[in-house]
Amino acid sequence: MATIQFIIQSIILGIVEGITEFLPVSSTGHLIIFQNLIGFQATNPHYVEMYTYVIQLGAILAVIVLYWKKIKQTLVDFFPSRVGYQESGLKFWLMIVLACIPGATIGILFDDTAEKYLFSPIPVAITLFLGAILMIYAENRLRKNAPVGRDLNVSPRQAVLIGLFQCLAVIPGMSRSASTIIGGWVAGLPTVAATEFSFFLAIPVMIGMSLLKVVKIGGLAILTSQEILSLAVGFIVSFLVAVIVIQKFISYLQRKPMRIFAIYRMIFAAFVLAAGVAGLF
């Protein structure tokens, strides 16, 4: 594949990743669909799989940049002796770790199975549609009962509940963001707080998954210069786009429901299924 075509494809996928990583529409699902649609391939047979996870680090970097003040404060106030346990960074990051455990366990056990059977457009489209129904049901039943605000003082019980819901994200098309936000509603968190907690939860989750993929493929040293350039382009583009999307998404959630994303998922899933029937995948 010509280098210029490969880079253009990386830019397209970086935009897709930056837009979809934190919206409840499944970034992995969208990447799988668009990779198949534009014929994104490389010399290394496992490169595309690794690319899908590594460029997500660009979007995660956007969280670190935008929420650096909060992250820095949790580090400054890390020890309970300074501000008390409930307000300490130790408690905050312990809750993040606690919420990571269920998803990490399920991911390690079933990641290969999911990749083998579910990492293709049609299964993704079906999951997008079914996940949209779950989103609408959860918002109608749970969001109205959630308190207003963005307090991130999460309890161990709430962290475990959110972590359990995050396990759904092992299915491409479900959406890690949607899963954790619904888990936050079940746990009784305000919508914005549940969303921001999902942002922070994404930091260790996505870094861990990306490192596992890099190790699994044999490290960056086995990649061609073209593949490394492609990774760098996708990473940078996804970061820049995600910076914009995160701010707009939080502003949107403060005023409007998530139903619009569920409707989009259904429409997009229908188009993908129609494209599959037409033989485009």
Side-chain angles (χ1 to χ4, degrees):
M1 180 185 295
T3 300
I4 187 65
Q5 181 183 352
F6 201 43
I7 297 307
I8 290 173
Q9 289 180 333
S10 295
I11 292 172
I12 293 170
L13 294 174
I15 293 171
V16 170
E17 164 59 26
I19 292 174
T20 59
E21 176 61 41
F22 299 105
L23 300 183
V25 297
S26 178
S27 62
T28 302
H30 275 73
L31 286 174
I32 290 169
I33 289 167
F34 277 89
Q35 284 165 356
N36 280 269
L37 191 61
I38 66 178
F40 185 66
Q41 295 178 336
T43 303
N44 192 307
H46 300 291
Y47 173 76
V48 175
E49 174 192 336
M50 185 181 76
Y51 177 94
T52 300
Y53 287 95
V54 171
I55 70 164
Q56 290 175 336
L57 291 179
I60 299 306
L61 180 59
V63 171
I64 295 173
V65 170
L66 291 174
Y67 285 88
W68 175 244
K69 185 176 180 181
K70 168 66 177 177
I71 294 171
K72 180 181 177 181
Q73 195 60 47
T74 65
L75 299 177
V76 171
D77 295 333
F78 187 80
F79 295 104
S81 58
R82 182 180 175 89
V83 292
Y85 176 70
Q86 288 299 324
E87 301 298 325
S88 70
L90 174 63
K91 192 251 185 180
F92 177 81
W93 290 110
L94 277 177
M95 295 307 101
I96 294 293
V97 170
L98 189 59
C100 284
I101 293 173
T105 304
I106 295 298
I108 290 171
L109 291 176
F110 297 103
D111 186 52
D112 289 341
T113 302
E115 287 177 8
K116 182 177 180 180
Y117 296 106
L118 303 177
F119 271 54
S120 58
I122 301 305
V124 166
I126 293 171
T127 305
L128 280 169
F129 192 90
L130 295 176
I133 296 173
L134 176 60
M135 283 173 60
I136 293 172
Y137 174 81
E139 186 163 42
N140 289 340
R141 290 292 301 270
L142 300 171
R143 180 169 180 168
K144 62 184 178 182
N145 298 324
V148 177
R150 54 199 305 171
D151 182 16
L152 278 176
N153 194 3
V154 176
S155 70
R157 173 186 168 276
Q158 290 173 321
V160 170
L161 274 172
I162 294 170
L164 289 172
F165 271 86
Q166 185 177 228
C167 293
L168 294 172
V170 74
I171 306 172
M174 182 55 215
S175 169
R176 189 195 56 78
S177 175
S179 300
T180 51
I181 291 171
I182 292 172
W185 285 339
V186 173
L189 291 183
T191 299
V192 173
T195 304
E196 292 186 334
F197 188 79
S198 79
F199 291 170
F200 288 107
L201 187 55
I203 297 173
V205 168
M206 296 314 304
I207 290 176
M209 290 181 67
S210 298
L211 289 176
L212 282 174
K213 295 298 176 182
V214 171
V215 171
K216 186 177 178 180
I217 200 176
L220 297 176
I222 68 170
L223 301 181
T224 66
S225 58
Q226 186 184 58
E227 289 168 344
I228 292 174
L229 178 59
S230 170
L231 270 183
V233 169
F235 181 95
I236 293 169
V237 172
S238 67
F239 165 73
L240 294 174
V241 174
V243 167
I244 299 170
V245 171
I246 289 171
Q247 297 177 90
K248 298 293 185 182
F249 185 41
I250 290 296
S251 176
Y252 176 89
L253 287 180
Q254 290 173 330
R255 298 175 287 108
K256 296 181 180 180
M258 285 211 311
R259 189 176 300 110
I260 186 67
F261 298 106
I263 294 171
Y264 161 78
R265 287 171 63 124
M266 290 179 172
I267 295 172
F268 184 61
F271 274 110
V272 173
L273 290 172
V277 171
L280 295 181
F281 294 115

